[in-house]
Amino acid sequence: MPTSTTVAANGGEVYVVLPVEIAQPARETAWIRLGAMDYIATILREQGHLRVLPSEAVMRLIGAREPAQLDAAELERLRTAAGAAYILTPRATPTANGWRVVLDIDRNGHRASYAAAGADPLEAATHVSSMFLSGLGVPSQADEAGATPAVEAAQRIGAAVLAADLVEARRLIGQLPDAVRAAPEVQLVVGKVALRGGHVDEAAAIFTPLAAASALTPVQRTLAHLGLGAVAVHRRDFDEAEREYTAAITALGGRDDPYLRGLVYIGLGVADGGRGRTESALTDFGRARVEMERAGNWVNIADIDVDMAEVEANRGRHAAALVLFDRAIVGLDEFGAKDHLAIALLNKTTSQLALLDLAGAAAGSERAWEIAGTLHNRTLLHRAAAIRVRALLTVGQLDAAAKVLDLVDPAGTEDPELAVLRGRLAFERGDVAAARQRATDAIERFGAPVASPGAPADATELVLFSLDALRGGGGFAPVSRLVAKLHAGPAQSAAARLDVALALAAAELQGAAGDPSTPVGYAAAFAAAERNGEPDLVVVAGVAQLRYLIAQHSLDEAMNVLGRLRAYTGRDYATARAATAVYQARGERSLAEANAAQARSLAGERDPQRPL
């Protein structure tokens, strides 16, 4: 029975369950702090159908602090950030016969407490949760459900995940008896650990049979499909991702669970955005935002801002994307969500690179790389490495780029995305033979399945790198094969960027074949880049056209193109070199030397004397 006045229920209010305060804490009972917290939250959400803030969101808001360490101002900040009316603080104490759990309730300053005993912490938590729901007038089968050994195992592992300790989570998984490990509730959390750790193939093998198991609850099947959707996104198979997220909605049925529905719509938005379906993606994310608001999960809205920013970036609207990224970064930094913060910083870096904000890209990628190094997520580490290397290469820090690559992929063969960057590094160092081999190998591998934690090569980056590496060596046949693969294959993310790269590839192939329409091809590629409006592609297409025009002694037309690139000569190495080459060809020594000095200032460890 409650020890104070019964608290009235309100189905529209948000509930926050804080970590459990443990009397006489010890190593063997440490899991109760987060495991029982999440267990109580799950009962209230699934049995009571209450709007309970997800435990991960709670941990983002309070970090590693105990409830007793939160003063009145911090509790009010928590209440405001979560939009919560109820704050629940469980307390667990060992007794001679088991455990006693007290649930302290604070509803906007009105307090009550419930207490229950059980043979173990989860049994006591089950009883006290049922009492609280009864006090709210909410029917519950929590007492009948109880806590099986599998449930306890899932909560123990889940506690390690909430504490961001994937090493401990995997240790606990390794100790499980086969019968316990095979339970669906355990398999779901094991799959989650695999996914968080970047073991994507392992996660797929776990979630696939779960999604097909008719004996699972609707929530369990939904979670399995969400896991498979995340696997497909990692593999950049956005058609499969859409199928899985749609299946998740079907599995959920008529159950009104705004948090899970919000996750599904986030996934659908990512899948649509990855295929260039911008309006559909923004609609999905808008629906996800509404569902997360209904769930009281304001924390996840920062993640949605990141996703919406990525959609804007994919259609070349990087200025709009940066506004969303910056807003999300502030929130994620405040919430202490390190993995999501790193992703936001990395995506922002990609936009900065497109805008030729090279100093900003170097700073943001450095911070993201440092954060990723503190987490046990191989997939995130590889992604951070790829974007960090791109940022370093653009400012000519070749040795630093090599160190990052050697740290995460010492063999140089595991990750197709990093393999392309190794090729780009070789090209910038002047090792053209190695760059050509890397380009040829990457083209042959493109489209093949990629083992985790590797990522497929970005199609646009691969086209542009292959053109640079194979130009002038009589070896453009691999580029032709790549173009054919891309035309025949599925839709790629950031399709507008790829269209520019393919237009440039067409012009280069025309030039290599001596096609008289080559000038038209280069002009079309440059026009496509200017329509797309991303400065990095404008520079690439413009410099390629200048290279061709100089070789053809069409210097008047070269001056026209250079005039459209002048805004970038002070911050882009390739443009400064191209300007130098144009003025040298025209015999204008003073202007050539001024631009050569600019190129030297931007070169870093690159050789500005190399042929354009």
Side-chain angles (χ1 to χ4, degrees), residues 46 211 214 270 448 500:
E46 295 189 6
S214 58
V270 171
V500 173

Side-chain angles (χ1 to χ4, degrees), residues 110-148:
H110 300 284
R111 303 180 188 278
S113 292
Y114 296 81
D120 57 62
L122 295 187
E123 182 180 328
T126 301
H127 296 324
V128 80
S129 300
S130 183
M131 293 172 65
F132 173 59
L133 289 173
S134 295
L136 294 175
V138 177
S140 168
Q141 290 79 44
D143 274 336
E144 288 82 354
T148 65

Side-chain angles (χ1 to χ4, degrees), residues 503-523:
L504 183 56
E508 296 264 16
L509 290 169
Q510 287 173 332
D515 189 324
S517 64
T518 299
V520 176
Y522 276 111

Side-chain angles (χ1 to χ4, degrees), residues 198-529:
H199 302 276
V200 178
D201 299 334
E202 178 186 339
I206 293 168
F207 289 130
T208 298
L210 291 172
S214 58
L216 269 63
T217 69
V219 169
Q220 289 173 330
R221 287 198 304 277
T222 301
L223 292 172
H225 285 297
L226 283 169
L228 289 173
V231 167
V233 166
H234 170 78
R235 292 171 172 169
R236 296 184 184 173
D237 186 346
F238 298 113
D239 289 337
E240 178 64 17
E242 181 183 39
R243 285 190 288 271
E244 291 298 341
Y245 289 124
T246 301
I249 285 286
T250 301
L252 198 56
R255 183 183 181 86
D256 185 22
D257 189 322
Y259 174 61
L260 286 181
R261 288 188 183 276
L263 292 180
V264 171
Y265 281 107
I266 289 172
L268 286 170
V270 171
D272 279 330
R275 291 172 297 178
R277 299 177 181 177
T278 302
E279 296 307 320
S280 293
L282 293 175
T283 298
D284 293 331
F285 289 135
R287 175 64 183 272
R289 178 185 285 270
V290 169
E291 295 293 351
M292 288 303 179
E293 288 174 358
R294 289 183 62 226
N297 190 358
W298 296 96
V299 180
N300 267 92
I301 290 175
D303 293 331
I304 295 171
D305 280 341
V306 173
D307 291 325
M308 294 180 72
E310 195 164 359
V311 170
E312 296 288 11
N314 281 342
R315 61 174 173 172
R317 297 179 55 178
H318 294 285
L322 289 177
V323 172
L324 290 167
F325 281 134
D326 285 339
R327 186 170 72 187
I329 286 167
V330 169
L332 294 169
D333 206 357
E334 181 180 357
F335 298 146
K338 288 187 176 182
D339 51 350
H340 293 255
L341 174 60
I343 290 169
L345 288 165
L346 292 171
N347 290 343
K348 180 183 177 182
T349 296
T350 300
S351 283
Q352 290 171 312
L353 288 170
L355 294 171
L356 296 179
D357 176 9
L358 306 186
S365 65
E366 181 178 21
R367 186 182 179 201
W369 170 244
E370 290 173 351
I371 293 171
T374 67
L375 307 172
H376 298 282
N377 186 326
R378 296 193 306 157
T379 299
L380 179 58
L381 186 66
H382 275 237
R383 179 135 189 270
I387 295 178
R388 176 63 176 154
V389 168
R390 283 185 59 203
L392 291 169
L393 290 176
T394 60
V395 293
Q397 295 185 30
L398 308 186
D399 289 344
K403 287 179 182 178
V404 173
L405 289 168
D406 289 342
L407 181 65
V408 297
D409 188 17
T413 58
E414 181 180 7
D415 188 324
E417 184 176 29
L418 296 184
V420 170
L421 289 168
R422 279 191 184 276
R424 175 63 73 180
L425 174 62
F427 180 80
E428 297 294 352
R429 283 177 163 171
D431 190 349
V432 177
R436 286 175 180 164
Q437 188 60 55
R438 287 278 183 189
T440 302
D441 291 345
I443 289 170
E444 295 308 313
R445 293 178 66 185
F446 186 77
V450 178
S452 63
D458 178 82
T460 300
E461 295 300 321
L462 179 54
V463 171
L464 297 179
F465 162 60
S466 299
L467 291 174
D468 283 341
L470 299 172
R471 183 184 297 114
F476 266 164
V479 176
S480 296
R481 293 196 295 274
L482 175 60
V483 170
K485 281 186 179 183
L486 288 166
H487 283 307
Q492 301 287 324
S493 60
R497 289 180 64 83
L498 181 57
D499 288 344
V500 173
L502 290 174
L504 183 56
E508 296 264 16
L509 290 169
Q510 287 173 332
D515 189 324
S517 64
T518 299
V520 176
Y522 276 111
F526 188 39

Side-chain angles (χ1 to χ4, degrees), residues 29 83 88 97 133 212 321 360 446 555 583:
T29 60
L88 283 60
N97 299 317
L133 289 173
F446 186 77
L555 300 184
Y583 287 121

Side-chain angles (χ1 to χ4, degrees), residues 71-126:
D71 60 24
E74 289 173 312
L75 284 172
E76 185 57 32
R77 171 183 166 275
L78 170 63
R79 192 189 302 277
T80 301
Y86 287 82
I87 294 181
L88 283 60
T89 306
R91 293 181 283 121
T93 305
T95 67
N97 299 317
W99 285 80
R100 182 174 185 266
V101 172
V102 175
L103 195 59
D104 293 328
I105 316 298
D106 180 344
R107 183 194 180 200
N108 295 323
H110 300 284
R111 303 180 188 278
S113 292
Y114 296 81
D120 57 62
L122 295 187
E123 182 180 328
T126 301

Side-chain angles (χ1 to χ4, degrees), residues 31 35-36 39-40 43 47 118-127 141-156 185:
W31 69 272
Y39 181 73
I40 292 170
I43 289 175
Q47 297 288 334
D120 57 62
L122 295 187
E123 182 180 328
T126 301
H127 296 324
Q141 290 79 44
D143 274 336
E144 288 82 354
T148 65
V151 169
E152 179 174 324
Q155 295 307 132
R156 285 176 178 266
E185 53 266 57

Side-chain angles (χ1 to χ4, degrees), residues 18-84:
L18 295 178
V20 179
E21 297 180 356
I22 307 171
Q24 306 169 28
R27 188 177 187 280
E28 61 270 18
T29 60
W31 69 272
I32 298 170
R33 175 177 178 269
L34 302 182
M37 170 192 79
D38 186 60
Y39 181 73
I40 292 170
T42 300
I43 289 175
L44 300 184
R45 184 184 305 112
E46 295 189 6
Q47 297 288 334
H49 303 286
L50 302 181
R51 298 172 65 196
V52 184
L53 192 68
S55 298
E56 289 186 349
V58 175
M59 295 309 296
R60 288 191 194 181
L61 289 169
I62 70 170
R65 291 174 297 172
E66 300 293 341
Q69 296 174 313
L70 302 174
D71 60 24
E74 289 173 312
L75 284 172
E76 185 57 32
R77 171 183 166 275
L78 170 63
R79 192 189 302 277
T80 301

